Amino acid sequence: MIATFIGIRFMRFPLHVRKSSQENRRLNVILFTLSLLIVIPSIFSAVALVQESIQTSSINQFVNEEFPDDVVLDQAYNEDTKKLVVTISGDYMSKSDIANAQDSLADYGLEDVTLDIDQVPDLSELNGAELKQYLDKYISSQEEKKNIEKQDGAEN
């Protein structure tokens, strides 16, 4: 309704009902105020959505470029703690490799993010018992994350 009114006013269609200039001014103020009440929250929502999208894209780019030789089993970002947990399988990463990955977060615009890398050995080299142990740990950690998300969702 507001968009139609504004469009008609900009196109300068004549009003069928003649009103005094004071009534027109009052109507314009009311419509302008309503427009602002609608537009301002929309702008904040759009900005938040764009920032979230940029951050998600940066995280995905970071993971794809920093762990090209590893199998990424999971990546989870906690916005409250600004912590990125990446679960990988492949060659063992040394502490210096992990530190380099942490340092390279700034290159992706993720300076305030802390990195936690969970390393799972190359799954093809494990025997059945070791594989079961790692998979059980992985499944339980995923269930914990889902439970935390459900609790967070219920609180909001």
Side-chain angles (χ1 to χ4, degrees), residues 13-32:
F13 284 109
L15 296 174
H16 290 290
V17 178
R18 299 284 181 202
K19 295 187 177 203
S20 68
S21 63
Q22 185 179 9
E23 288 175 336
N24 272 342
R25 186 172 296 138
R26 183 174 162 260
L27 181 61
N28 286 339
V29 168
I30 290 171
L31 287 174
F32 182 74

Side-chain angles (χ1 to χ4, degrees), residues 51-65 75 84 105 107-110:
Q51 287 175 340
E52 182 182 329
S53 176
I54 289 171
Q55 186 160 34
T56 301
S57 176
S58 295
I59 288 171
N60 288 336
Q61 183 180 6
F62 168 78
V63 169
N64 290 336
E65 291 179 6
Q75 70 184 45
L84 173 63
L105 282 168
D107 298 339
Y108 297 89
L110 303 169

Side-chain angles (χ1 to χ4, degrees), residues 117-136:
I117 299 176
D118 292 336
Q119 298 185 65
V120 177
D122 188 0
L123 298 177
S124 63
E125 296 176 4
L126 298 178
N127 64 36
E130 291 171 328
L131 180 61
K132 181 183 181 317
Q133 178 185 3
Y134 280 111
L135 289 176
D136 287 344

Side-chain angles (χ1 to χ4, degrees), residues 74-135:
D74 188 33
Q75 70 184 45
Y77 176 68
N78 185 329
E79 194 165 328
D80 296 332
T81 60
K82 301 224 181 263
K83 185 176 186 179
L84 173 63
V85 179
V86 180
T87 305
I88 60 171
S89 175
D91 293 335
Y92 181 77
M93 290 183 71
S94 67
K95 289 184 180 184
S96 64
D97 291 340
I98 293 172
N100 289 339
Q102 176 71 41
D103 292 341
S104 69
L105 282 168
D107 298 339
Y108 297 89
L110 303 169
E111 339 22 68
D112 57 340
V113 174
T114 57
L115 178 64
D116 185 16
I117 299 176
D118 292 336
Q119 298 185 65
V120 177
D122 188 0
L123 298 177
S124 63
E125 296 176 4
L126 298 178
N127 64 36
E130 291 171 328
L131 180 61
K132 181 183 181 317
Q133 178 185 3
Y134 280 111
L135 289 176

